[in-house]
Amino acid sequence: MEIFKKMEEHDYEQLIFCQDKNSGLKAIICIHDTTLGPALGGTRMWNYATEEEAIEDAIRLGRGMTYKNAAAGLNLGGGKTVIIGDPLKDKNEEMFRAFGRFIQGLNGRYITAEDVGTTVADMDLIREETDFVTGVSPAFGSSGNPSPVTAYGVYTGMKAAALEAFGDDSLEGKTVAVQGVGNVAYTLCKHLHEEGAKLIVTDINKESVQRAVNDFGATAVEPNDIYSQEADIFAPCAMGAIINDETIPQLKVKLVAGAANNQLKEARHGDELEARGIVYTPDFVINSGGVINVADELYGYNQERAMKRVETIYDSISKIFEISKRDNVPSYIAADRMAEERIERVRKSRSQFLRNEHNILSRR
Ligand SMILES: NC(=O)c1ccc[n+]([C@@H]2O[C@H](COP(=O)([O-])OP(=O)(O)OC[C@H]3O[C@@H](n4cnc5c(N)ncnc54)[C@H](O)[C@@H]3O)[C@@H](O)[C@H]2O)c1
Ligand SMILES: CC(C)C[C@H](N)C(=O)O
């Protein structure tokens, strides 16, 4: 892999490889863009088949965070970390503490939090070594696990998207096919169930599926069958790149709205959904509840203020569909524009020299 060529493609600022033989830590921190402020993005732990796959994931996710934070109106840039390893077998205290020291060394350019495969307990260990971690235990005055807040944001964003797809934002009686019932999707299913939606679920973890069946009367299907279900909405809540050449022809839904990052394998898959009359809800906007919540910690966490901001996801999704119609572009392009325009506006307004640059961390 030609790494610099890859970084130039989407103008990545920095890629940092961290290893600690003692603990087995192999981490890649990607800092994509810090125009708006320090890069905030979670840490994913995953058993990547190859190092290339891990690098690819880190940079795609890091760039996604730039767009997510910008679209959410946060004064934060985008970055992400991937740790190579099996989160069920390879974790240890020293690993997260070593990782925390690497983050501290970046002196605030990158701030971390949870993502797939990492937990509040892991963030607490990172916190032992660095100031630049969020999503740690509420006992430390923090916001804790971001997943339930992400789920609430996805739920409210799905309602805004339902208005676009069905002309009514009620989800009562709608059938939602949910891929992956992990941390975010379990709570999403709870909200949907409470509103009277019917659920079809799948997961590679049988226990997670059973929990959704028991708690919400969901219908369970095999992982490969989730795309072809007779449903109104497909909610991708597992891994990325699942809207692709193989899955699109199977979809019978009118709306795609879920928590997973980087749902479109390639941009052209967003065009393909549009061509088939399937409404696509841009992932980095609908799933921004978690980062909005943890970002509030940087001001001294206030749950009411954070949740008020999470509620704005409904309006942001509606605005994207407005831009999409106004500019006659697919929704994924409208969302990218919304984020890029904000970054550009701030870049221009911050161009004058300041000796002591002020940023979101200055008040800490
Ligand atoms: N946790 C958050 O606050 C947050 C915020 C924004 C975005 N996201 C994104 O949402 C997605 C879910 O995050 P999470 O925190 O719930 O993770 P999680 O690990 O708790 O849940 C993911 C679930 O997907 C399942 N899964 C993996 N591959 C699958 C497959 N091929 N088919 C079916 N199921 C599969 C896993 O077994 C797991 O239960 C991820 O893409 C994550 O990046 C999470
Ligand atoms: C900062 C975290 C809450 C990041 C989250 N995993 C996301 O993808 O948005």
Side-chain angles (χ1 to χ4, degrees):
M1 178 188 266
E2 289 193 74
I3 293 183
F4 280 108
K5 202 167 160 195
K6 200 96 209 147
M7 289 174 76
E8 280 168 14
E9 233 172 74
H10 292 292
D11 215 5
Y12 292 91
E13 288 180 15
Q14 207 175 359
L15 206 54
I16 303 133
F17 292 79
C18 316
Q19 79 82 25
D20 176 57
K21 230 191 313 185
N22 175 44
S23 62
L25 174 75
K26 287 191 175 68
I28 304 165
I29 303 172
C30 165
I31 298 179
H32 173 238
D33 187 295
T34 57
T35 306
L36 296 181
L40 171 59
T43 295
R44 175 171 293 191
M45 186 163 181
W46 193 252
N47 217 353
Y48 293 98
T50 63
E51 289 179 8
E52 276 196 8
E53 204 186 286
I55 296 170
E56 197 66 63
D57 210 25
I59 64 174
R60 263 170 73 87
L61 290 164
R63 181 164 169 258
M65 290 309 299
T66 298
Y67 280 74
K68 188 181 306 195
N69 294 339
L74 301 173
N75 294 312
L76 289 161
K80 200 96 175 187
T81 299
V82 301
I83 294 181
I84 301 173
D86 184 337
L88 298 177
K89 292 198 293 222
D90 299 332
K91 283 184 184 179
N92 57 64
E93 175 182 353
E94 303 80 64
M95 171 181 281
F96 287 100
R97 295 188 65 157
F99 177 48
R101 287 195 295 281
F102 281 113
I103 296 177
Q104 187 65 10
L106 293 169
N107 201 24
R109 268 181 66 69
Y110 170 68
I111 305 163
T112 201
E114 294 86 347
D115 192 67
V116 174
T118 58
T119 62
V120 175
D122 302 332
M123 298 306 125
D124 286 351
L125 291 173
I126 294 171
R127 182 184 172 274
E128 292 298 320
E129 307 287 345
T130 182
D131 302 327
F132 306 113
V133 56
T134 56
V136 293
S137 289
F140 298 122
S142 161
S143 65
N145 179 6
S147 303
V149 185
T150 302
Y152 181 72
V154 173
Y155 167 67
T156 190
M158 189 185 282
K159 286 177 76 65
L163 182 63
E164 175 70 16
F166 310 110
D168 183 344
D169 78 356
S170 170
L171 298 171
E172 192 181 354
K174 293 278 182 295
T175 301
V176 188
V178 183
Q179 180 182 46
V181 254
N183 288 320
V184 176
Y186 178 81
T187 309
L188 172 65
C189 287
K190 184 167 182 286
H191 291 303
L192 294 171
H193 176 65
E194 281 167 4
E195 191 170 332
K198 293 179 210 127
L199 298 167
I200 300 173
V201 298
T202 196
D203 198 293
I204 49 175
N205 180 334
K206 299 283 168 234
E207 282 168 26
S208 304
V209 171
Q210 200 50 50
R211 192 157 75 122
V213 170
N214 295 345
D215 295 356
F216 312 125
T219 303
V221 297
E222 288 303 315
N224 284 336
D225 295 338
I226 195 72
Y227 308 104
S228 58
Q229 294 303 309
E230 294 287 349
D232 301 294
I233 302 167
F234 173 49
C237 297
M239 305 305 273
I242 41 69
I243 302 290
N244 56 46
D245 292 336
E246 287 75 47
T247 59
I248 291 175
Q250 300 178 52
L251 294 175
K252 296 182 181 132
V253 296
K254 277 198 81 172
L255 173 61
V256 174
N261 280 308
N262 299 329
Q263 294 170 21
L264 303 176
K265 186 167 185 194
E266 294 169 37
R268 68 183 172 85
H269 295 115
D271 302 329
E272 184 61 31
L273 288 180
E274 175 95 359
R276 289 172 183 251
I278 300 173
V279 174
Y280 171 67
T281 320
D283 48 15
F284 64 78
V285 182
I286 194 171
N287 74 13
S288 60
V291 75
I292 291 172
N293 198 47
V294 299
D296 196 83
E297 289 178 29
L298 303 174
Y299 297 98
Y301 184 60
N302 178 314
Q303 189 179 27
E304 202 184 323
R305 181 177 59 206
M307 289 312 290
K308 242 187 204 161
R309 194 160 201 154
V310 173
E311 296 280 356
T312 65
I313 291 175
Y314 187 105
D315 293 336
S316 300
I317 297 291
S318 306
K319 190 171 166 203
I320 286 164
F321 293 126
E322 267 169 47
I323 298 175
S324 163
K325 285 193 205 91
R326 185 195 67 198
D327 297 355
N328 197 23
V329 292
S331 57
Y332 80 93
I333 293 183
D336 282 1
R337 275 189 193 167
M338 198 165 88
E340 284 162 2
E341 281 168 12
R342 175 156 185 258
I343 295 169
E344 221 26 64
R345 282 197 304 273
V346 173
R347 194 194 305 278
K348 280 188 188 138
S349 75
R350 294 185 99 193
S351 61
Q352 69 282 54
F353 173 78
L354 275 186
R355 186 153 170 268
N356 295 310
E357 187 93 347
H358 175 85
N359 66 51
I360 196 170
L361 296 176
S362 310
R363 289 192 194 89
R364 293 188 99 198

